[in-house]
Amino acid sequence: VTPVYLVEVTNLDLRGMLGVIPPLFTQAGILYTYVLGSFVDWRMLSLSGVSLGLIFIIAVWFIPESPLYLASKAKFESAERSLAWLGREDDSVKFFKEVQTDMNVFDTTMAQSWRQYIDPRVYKPFLACLSLMFFFQATGYNTILAYSLTIFHETGEGLDDNVLMGIKGSIILLSAVIALGMARVCPRKRLLVSSCLGVSSSLLLLGVYYFIKENQLLDLGDWHFVPLLFLICLIIFFMIGYGGLTWTVMAEIMPAKVRKFISIKQKFN
Protein backbone atom coordinates (compact mmCIF):
# COMPACT_ATOMS: atom_id res chain seq x y z
CA VAL A 1 0.00 0.00 0.00
CA THR A 2 2.81 2.43 0.84
CA PRO A 3 4.16 2.97 -2.73
CA VAL A 4 0.62 3.33 -4.11
CA TYR A 5 -0.26 5.88 -1.43
CA LEU A 6 2.90 7.90 -2.08
CA VAL A 7 2.24 7.97 -5.82
CA GLU A 8 -1.31 9.16 -5.24
CA VAL A 9 -0.56 11.93 -2.73
CA THR A 10 2.58 13.48 -4.26
CA ASN A 11 3.05 15.63 -7.34
CA LEU A 12 5.25 14.59 -10.23
CA ASP A 13 8.19 16.79 -9.20
CA LEU A 14 8.68 14.97 -5.88
CA ARG A 15 7.31 11.54 -6.68
CA GLY A 16 10.58 9.92 -7.70
CA MET A 17 12.47 11.18 -4.66
CA LEU A 18 9.70 10.35 -2.18
CA GLY A 19 9.37 6.90 -3.72
CA VAL A 20 12.81 6.09 -2.31
CA ILE A 21 11.77 7.11 1.21
CA PRO A 22 10.24 3.70 2.15
CA PRO A 23 13.40 1.75 1.16
CA LEU A 24 15.50 4.38 2.93
CA PHE A 25 13.64 3.99 6.21
CA THR A 26 13.57 0.22 5.74
CA GLN A 27 17.36 0.22 5.67
CA ALA A 28 17.44 2.61 8.62
CA GLY A 29 15.25 0.16 10.52
CA ILE A 30 17.53 -2.74 9.63
CA LEU A 31 20.55 -0.79 10.85
CA TYR A 32 18.65 0.05 14.04
CA THR A 33 18.00 -3.67 14.54
CA TYR A 34 21.65 -4.55 13.97
CA VAL A 35 22.89 -1.93 16.41
CA LEU A 36 20.31 -2.54 19.13
CA GLY A 37 20.67 -6.31 18.76
CA SER A 38 24.30 -5.96 19.76
CA PHE A 39 23.30 -4.75 23.22
CA VAL A 40 19.98 -6.42 24.10
CA ASP A 41 18.50 -9.91 23.82
CA TRP A 42 15.84 -10.90 21.31
CA ARG A 43 12.97 -10.23 23.75
CA MET A 44 13.87 -6.58 24.24
CA LEU A 45 14.57 -6.25 20.53
CA SER A 46 11.07 -7.56 19.76
CA LEU A 47 9.49 -5.19 22.27
CA SER A 48 11.30 -2.24 20.72
CA GLY A 49 9.88 -3.24 17.34
CA VAL A 50 6.36 -3.45 18.78
CA SER A 51 6.70 0.03 20.28
CA LEU A 52 7.59 1.47 16.87
CA GLY A 53 4.57 -0.27 15.41
CA LEU A 54 2.32 1.35 18.00
CA ILE A 55 3.72 4.76 17.11
CA PHE A 56 2.84 4.10 13.47
CA ILE A 57 -0.71 3.06 14.35
CA ILE A 58 -1.22 6.32 16.21
CA ALA A 59 0.43 8.48 13.55
CA VAL A 60 -1.49 6.94 10.62
CA TRP A 61 -4.77 8.33 11.96
CA PHE A 62 -3.52 11.87 11.34
CA ILE A 63 -2.67 11.47 7.66
CA PRO A 64 -5.43 12.05 5.09
CA GLU A 65 -6.97 9.53 2.76
CA SER A 66 -5.56 9.48 -0.76
CA PRO A 67 -7.20 12.29 -2.78
CA LEU A 68 -7.19 10.04 -5.85
CA TYR A 69 -9.10 7.35 -3.97
CA LEU A 70 -11.62 9.92 -2.68
CA ALA A 71 -12.10 11.38 -6.15
CA SER A 72 -12.62 7.91 -7.62
CA LYS A 73 -15.49 7.47 -5.14
CA ALA A 74 -16.98 10.84 -6.18
CA LYS A 75 -16.07 12.38 -2.80
CA PHE A 76 -14.71 15.55 -4.37
CA GLU A 77 -15.01 17.81 -1.35
CA SER A 78 -13.10 15.32 0.77
CA ALA A 79 -10.50 15.08 -1.99
CA GLU A 80 -10.10 18.88 -1.95
CA ARG A 81 -9.63 18.85 1.83
CA SER A 82 -7.06 16.09 1.46
CA LEU A 83 -5.18 18.13 -1.15
CA ALA A 84 -5.25 21.14 1.15
CA TRP A 85 -3.85 19.10 4.04
CA LEU A 86 -1.08 17.87 1.74
CA GLY A 87 -0.25 21.43 0.66
CA ARG A 88 -1.41 20.91 -2.92
CA GLU A 89 -4.15 23.56 -3.14
CA ASP A 90 -2.43 25.26 -6.07
CA ASP A 91 -2.53 22.19 -8.33
CA SER A 92 -6.06 21.04 -7.45
CA VAL A 93 -7.42 21.94 -10.89
CA LYS A 94 -4.62 20.02 -12.58
CA PHE A 95 -5.19 17.12 -10.19
CA PHE A 96 -8.89 16.79 -11.01
CA LYS A 97 -8.15 16.93 -14.73
CA GLU A 98 -5.64 14.10 -14.32
CA VAL A 99 -8.17 12.14 -12.29
CA GLN A 100 -10.83 12.58 -14.94
CA THR A 101 -8.45 11.45 -17.66
CA ASP A 102 -7.18 8.49 -15.64
CA MET A 103 -10.58 7.29 -14.52
CA ASN A 104 -12.01 7.56 -18.04
CA VAL A 105 -9.32 5.41 -19.63
CA PHE A 106 -11.85 2.64 -20.15
CA ASP A 107 -15.11 2.78 -21.96
CA THR A 108 -18.14 2.96 -19.70
CA THR A 109 -19.28 -0.40 -21.03
CA MET A 110 -16.02 -1.95 -19.80
CA ALA A 111 -15.77 -0.14 -16.49
CA GLN A 112 -17.44 -2.90 -14.47
CA SER A 113 -16.52 -5.76 -16.79
CA TRP A 114 -13.76 -8.33 -16.60
CA ARG A 115 -12.79 -7.22 -20.11
CA GLN A 116 -11.02 -4.20 -18.68
CA TYR A 117 -8.36 -6.57 -17.32
CA ILE A 118 -7.49 -7.88 -20.79
CA ASP A 119 -7.32 -4.40 -22.23
CA PRO A 120 -3.80 -3.62 -23.54
CA ARG A 121 -3.73 -0.53 -21.34
CA VAL A 122 -3.93 -2.87 -18.34
CA TYR A 123 -2.17 -6.12 -19.17
CA LYS A 124 0.86 -4.48 -20.79
CA PRO A 125 1.88 -2.47 -17.70
CA PHE A 126 0.89 -5.44 -15.53
CA LEU A 127 3.26 -7.75 -17.44
CA ALA A 128 5.95 -5.08 -17.29
CA CYS A 129 5.51 -4.95 -13.51
CA LEU A 130 5.78 -8.73 -13.19
CA SER A 131 8.92 -8.73 -15.35
CA LEU A 132 10.45 -5.99 -13.25
CA MET A 133 9.73 -7.92 -10.05
CA PHE A 134 11.14 -11.12 -11.58
CA PHE A 135 14.47 -9.46 -12.32
CA PHE A 136 14.33 -7.78 -8.90
CA GLN A 137 14.36 -11.23 -7.30
CA ALA A 138 16.73 -12.74 -9.88
CA THR A 139 19.53 -10.50 -8.61
CA GLY A 140 19.77 -12.76 -5.55
CA TYR A 141 20.29 -9.66 -3.45
CA ASN A 142 18.76 -11.05 -0.25
CA THR A 143 20.63 -14.36 -0.57
CA ILE A 144 23.97 -12.64 -1.04
CA LEU A 145 23.33 -10.38 1.95
CA ALA A 146 22.62 -13.50 4.01
CA TYR A 147 26.18 -14.66 3.27
CA SER A 148 27.73 -11.22 3.68
CA LEU A 149 29.42 -12.17 6.97
CA THR A 150 31.33 -14.90 5.16
CA ILE A 151 32.51 -12.36 2.59
CA PHE A 152 33.52 -9.94 5.34
CA HIS A 153 35.55 -12.64 7.10
CA GLU A 154 37.38 -13.47 3.87
CA THR A 155 38.94 -10.01 3.90
CA GLY A 156 40.99 -11.11 6.88
CA GLU A 157 39.55 -8.56 9.30
CA GLY A 158 39.11 -9.98 12.80
CA LEU A 159 36.14 -7.81 13.73
CA ASP A 160 33.22 -8.96 15.85
CA ASP A 161 30.15 -10.14 13.93
CA ASN A 162 27.99 -7.43 15.50
CA VAL A 163 30.40 -4.77 14.28
CA LEU A 164 30.42 -6.29 10.81
CA MET A 165 26.62 -6.32 10.70
CA GLY A 166 26.62 -2.66 11.71
CA ILE A 167 29.05 -1.86 8.91
CA LYS A 168 26.86 -3.72 6.43
CA GLY A 169 23.77 -1.88 7.59
CA SER A 170 25.58 1.46 7.31
CA ILE A 171 26.64 0.68 3.74
CA ILE A 172 23.07 -0.22 2.78
CA LEU A 173 21.72 2.93 4.41
CA LEU A 174 24.32 5.08 2.65
CA SER A 175 23.39 3.51 -0.69
CA ALA A 176 19.72 4.33 -0.02
CA VAL A 177 20.70 7.98 0.63
CA ILE A 178 22.57 8.01 -2.69
CA ALA A 179 19.49 6.55 -4.39
CA LEU A 180 17.36 9.31 -2.84
CA GLY A 181 19.51 12.01 -4.42
CA MET A 182 19.76 10.30 -7.81
CA ALA A 183 16.00 9.70 -8.00
CA ARG A 184 15.57 13.47 -7.81
CA VAL A 185 17.65 14.25 -10.89
CA CYS A 186 17.74 11.10 -13.05
CA PRO A 187 14.99 9.45 -15.13
CA ARG A 188 13.56 6.19 -13.78
CA LYS A 189 14.52 4.18 -16.84
CA ARG A 190 18.13 5.33 -16.74
CA LEU A 191 18.43 4.40 -13.08
CA LEU A 192 16.90 0.97 -13.64
CA VAL A 193 19.21 0.24 -16.58
CA SER A 194 22.24 1.44 -14.60
CA SER A 195 21.14 -0.71 -11.66
CA CYS A 196 20.76 -3.75 -13.91
CA LEU A 197 24.18 -3.29 -15.51
CA GLY A 198 25.90 -2.57 -12.19
CA VAL A 199 24.35 -5.53 -10.37
CA SER A 200 25.06 -7.88 -13.28
CA SER A 201 28.69 -6.77 -13.51
CA SER A 202 29.19 -7.13 -9.75
CA LEU A 203 27.71 -10.63 -9.73
CA LEU A 204 29.74 -11.65 -12.77
CA LEU A 205 33.04 -10.44 -11.31
CA LEU A 206 32.21 -11.96 -7.93
CA GLY A 207 31.50 -15.28 -9.63
CA VAL A 208 34.74 -15.10 -11.62
CA TYR A 209 36.71 -14.44 -8.45
CA TYR A 210 35.30 -17.49 -6.65
CA PHE A 211 35.68 -19.66 -9.75
CA ILE A 212 39.37 -18.79 -9.94
CA LYS A 213 39.78 -19.29 -6.22
CA GLU A 214 38.04 -22.68 -6.04
CA ASN A 215 39.93 -24.04 -9.06
CA GLN A 216 43.23 -22.48 -7.89
CA LEU A 217 43.89 -21.01 -11.32
CA LEU A 218 45.74 -18.02 -9.86
CA ASP A 219 47.19 -16.97 -6.56
CA LEU A 220 44.66 -14.58 -5.05
CA GLY A 221 46.37 -14.10 -1.72
CA ASP A 222 46.74 -10.35 -2.23
CA TRP A 223 43.24 -9.97 -3.66
CA HIS A 224 41.17 -10.97 -0.63
CA PHE A 225 39.48 -7.54 -0.62
CA VAL A 226 37.83 -8.17 -4.00
CA PRO A 227 34.66 -9.95 -2.70
CA LEU A 228 33.98 -7.14 -0.24
CA LEU A 229 34.50 -4.53 -2.96
CA PHE A 230 32.04 -6.22 -5.30
CA LEU A 231 29.56 -6.73 -2.47
CA ILE A 232 29.58 -2.98 -1.79
CA CYS A 233 29.16 -2.27 -5.52
CA LEU A 234 26.28 -4.74 -5.66
CA ILE A 235 24.50 -3.06 -2.75
CA ILE A 236 24.91 0.45 -4.18
CA PHE A 237 23.80 -0.45 -7.71
CA PHE A 238 20.87 -2.47 -6.40
CA MET A 239 19.58 0.38 -4.26
CA ILE A 240 19.78 3.10 -6.91
CA GLY A 241 17.40 1.18 -9.18
CA TYR A 242 15.83 -2.12 -8.22
CA GLY A 243 15.75 -1.49 -4.49
CA GLY A 244 14.73 2.16 -4.58
CA LEU A 245 12.40 2.51 -7.57
CA THR A 246 10.72 -0.81 -8.32
CA TRP A 247 7.60 -0.25 -6.21
CA THR A 248 7.25 3.38 -7.30
CA VAL A 249 7.47 2.52 -10.99
CA MET A 250 4.90 -0.26 -10.61
CA ALA A 251 2.46 2.06 -8.87
CA GLU A 252 3.01 4.79 -11.49
CA ILE A 253 2.43 2.77 -14.66
CA MET A 254 -0.71 0.93 -13.52
CA PRO A 255 -4.03 2.71 -14.26
CA ALA A 256 -5.74 3.95 -11.12
CA LYS A 257 -8.79 1.74 -11.55
CA VAL A 258 -6.74 -1.45 -11.45
CA ARG A 259 -3.96 -0.34 -9.15
CA LYS A 260 -5.12 -3.01 -6.69
CA PHE A 261 -3.04 -5.36 -8.84
CA ILE A 262 -0.08 -4.11 -6.83
CA SER A 263 -1.11 -6.52 -4.06
CA ILE A 264 -0.97 -9.41 -6.55
CA LYS A 265 2.51 -8.38 -7.60
CA GLN A 266 3.56 -8.34 -3.97
CA LYS A 267 2.50 -12.00 -3.75
CA PHE A 268 4.52 -12.64 -6.92
CA ASN A 269 7.46 -11.05 -5.15
Side-chain angles (χ1 to χ4, degrees), residues 69-84:
Y69 171 81
L70 294 172
S72 69
K73 300 298 181 181
K75 299 179 180 179
F76 300 111
E77 293 184 359
S78 298
E80 288 182 356
R81 288 195 297 269
S82 179
L83 286 171

Side-chain angles (χ1 to χ4, degrees), residues 27-255:
Q27 306 311 323
I30 293 174
L31 178 59
Y32 163 81
T33 304
Y34 288 159
V35 174
L36 188 61
S38 302
F39 302 99
V40 301
D41 60 14
W42 65 270
R43 295 179 182 84
M44 293 303 299
L45 186 61
S46 300
L47 288 174
S48 69
V50 171
S51 63
L52 293 176
L54 292 175
I55 294 174
F56 171 78
I57 292 174
I58 296 173
V60 77
W61 289 104
F62 295 96
I63 64 174
E65 182 57 82
S66 162
L68 180 59
Y69 171 81
L70 294 172
S72 69
K73 300 298 181 181
K75 299 179 180 179
F76 300 111
E77 293 184 359
S78 298
E80 288 182 356
R81 288 195 297 269
S82 179
L83 286 171
W85 193 97
L86 294 166
R88 297 181 59 189
E89 304 98 326
D90 296 337
D91 63 345
S92 59
V93 175
K94 179 181 178 182
F95 167 79
F96 283 111
K97 286 183 179 179
E98 291 176 353
V99 168
Q100 185 177 10
T101 302
D102 198 11
M103 300 306 292
N104 291 332
V105 166
F106 308 105
D107 300 331
T108 55
T109 56
M110 295 176 60
Q112 302 299 327
S113 172
W114 60 268
R115 287 184 298 167
Q116 66 179 322
Y117 300 113
I118 60 174
D119 189 279
R121 291 163 294 188
V122 175
Y123 76 75
K124 285 185 177 180
F126 180 66
L127 292 177
C129 291
L130 292 182
S131 301
L132 184 59
M133 187 51 62
F134 172 80
F135 288 107
F136 176 95
Q137 291 296 333
T139 61
Y141 176 78
N142 293 322
T143 303
I144 292 175
L145 284 187
Y147 287 92
S148 58
L149 277 181
T150 301
I151 296 176
F152 272 111
H153 288 312
E154 287 191 6
T155 63
E157 300 293 338
L159 298 176
D160 181 76
D161 286 354
N162 291 324
V163 176
L164 293 176
M165 294 298 284
I167 294 174
K168 181 182 76 171
S170 300
I171 294 172
I172 297 174
L173 180 60
L174 177 61
S175 65
V177 173
I178 295 173
L180 181 67
M182 296 188 68
R184 175 67 175 169
V185 297
C186 298
R188 316 275 201 279
K189 187 175 179 180
R190 185 178 301 172
L191 287 176
L192 287 171
V193 171
S194 300
S195 178
C196 178
L197 293 175
V199 169
S200 299
S201 301
S202 300
L203 289 173
L204 176 63
L205 295 173
L206 195 61
V208 170
Y209 173 86
Y210 280 110
F211 178 82
I212 294 175
K213 181 180 179 180
E214 290 182 2
N215 292 276
Q216 299 181 349
L217 300 179
L218 294 172
D219 182 14
L220 299 177
D222 296 330
W223 296 84
H224 51 75
F225 64 91
V226 170
L228 179 59
L229 175 63
F230 290 144
L231 174 64
I232 294 174
C233 292
L234 171 66
I235 291 172
I236 293 175
F237 279 110
F238 180 85
M239 286 304 303
I240 66 173
Y242 285 125
L245 294 175
T246 298
W247 301 106
T248 301
V249 170
M250 290 196 303
E252 283 181 331
I253 66 178
M254 291 296 294

